[in-house]
Amino acid sequence: MGRIRRLFKPGTLQHLISRFIDRDWRIEDQQDRNVYLRYVADASNRWDWLIVSYALMSTHIHMAAVAGVVPPVGFFSSVHTRFALYWHKKYGGLGPVFSGRPTNKEVPMPRAARLLAYQHLNPVSAKVVDHAADSTWTSHRAYVGTQPAPDWLEVKLGLSLCGLTDSADGRRRFGSLVEGFADSGLERSSFETTPR
């Protein structure tokens, strides 16, 4: 039986999750995160999706992106194949590192702020840090202006989707918005994806 093609509509906001095989810890340190992000940078010019946020957790990876017309399979195949080769060289072992292709779920544009907050709060939910701004695992610091954004990360677009401007005030308000979602107990089930 052939694989089911994952559907997406260009121009929609998509939540993509890549899981490591058996939900094992495959990102152990900041070097692993930096390598993954370097592979994203290398592959991003071959993909017309606009990546607006990410969270690189130990057992899985989140991305939010506005869909283009090019299917995401080539982008993720490039990034994940290179990361698997890196991982095996660093840690040893054989076989798959990722558990199949990423899952995707369309998120209505009015819920963009909730999606970005959900992704940026993943390290808080995992009890790794107390505040989203304390983590280097997500794109949150690029949003609030405490570290530079990589060229491929569409922070200005992400802020706009949240109804905010790319300004010092907009970034401050984004930080407050994420902290507000943390205080209110943002529901996880709205953004968990299921295989299609």
Side-chain angles (χ1 to χ4, degrees), residues 15-32:
H15 180 198
L16 302 124
I17 299 179
S18 301
R19 297 196 186 280
F20 295 116
I21 197 86
D22 296 329
R23 298 179 191 256
D24 285 343
W25 284 44
R26 298 294 172 115
I27 294 184
E28 297 286 341
D29 56 28
Q30 193 59 44
Q31 178 187 10
D32 295 346

Side-chain angles (χ1 to χ4, degrees), residues 1-185:
M1 181 171 148
R3 297 183 90 172
I4 297 172
R5 188 172 164 220
R6 289 194 173 85
L7 301 176
F8 61 91
K9 183 178 174 186
T12 59
L13 181 62
Q14 297 285 325
H15 180 198
L16 302 124
I17 299 179
S18 301
R19 297 196 186 280
F20 295 116
I21 197 86
D22 296 329
R23 298 179 191 256
D24 285 343
W25 284 44
R26 298 294 172 115
I27 294 184
E28 297 286 341
D29 56 28
Q30 193 59 44
Q31 178 187 10
D32 295 346
R33 288 178 177 83
N34 292 341
V35 166
Y36 186 89
L37 293 174
R38 187 173 75 235
Y39 296 154
V40 168
D42 291 347
S44 64
N45 64 351
R46 298 188 302 272
W47 198 38
D48 63 348
W49 290 42
L50 303 173
I51 302 170
V52 295
S53 67
Y54 66 84
L56 306 181
M57 304 301 290
S58 298
T59 61
H60 63 287
I61 294 167
H62 293 274
M63 280 191 185
V66 176
V69 296
V70 176
V73 65
F75 170 81
F76 282 108
S77 178
S78 172
V79 173
H80 291 179
T81 298
R82 291 180 70 195
F83 186 81
L85 292 170
Y86 155 83
W87 192 90
H88 285 306
K89 185 175 181 180
K90 182 176 178 181
Y91 297 107
L94 295 169
V97 171
F98 288 89
S99 179
R101 296 181 296 172
T103 57
N104 67 290
K105 179 178 182 181
E106 183 177 330
V107 176
M109 289 294 186
R111 293 181 58 82
R114 296 179 80 79
L115 174 60
L116 271 60
Y118 166 76
Q119 289 186 358
H120 289 178
L121 289 168
N122 256 248
V124 177
S125 298
K127 301 191 183 331
V128 176
V129 294
D130 291 330
H131 303 281
D134 297 335
S135 176
T136 59
W137 296 11
T138 73
S139 50
H140 187 73
R141 288 182 174 197
Y143 269 79
V144 296
T146 58
Q147 75 180 40
D151 291 341
W152 50 265
L153 183 65
E154 301 285 342
V155 173
K156 184 175 181 177
L157 174 59
L159 288 167
S160 175
L161 293 174
C162 297
L164 302 170
T165 59
D166 184 15
S167 64
D169 182 60
R171 290 170 183 273
R172 182 191 56 74
R173 290 177 62 199
F174 181 84
S176 297
L177 178 143
V178 171
E179 286 299 317
F181 280 126
D183 293 340
S184 68

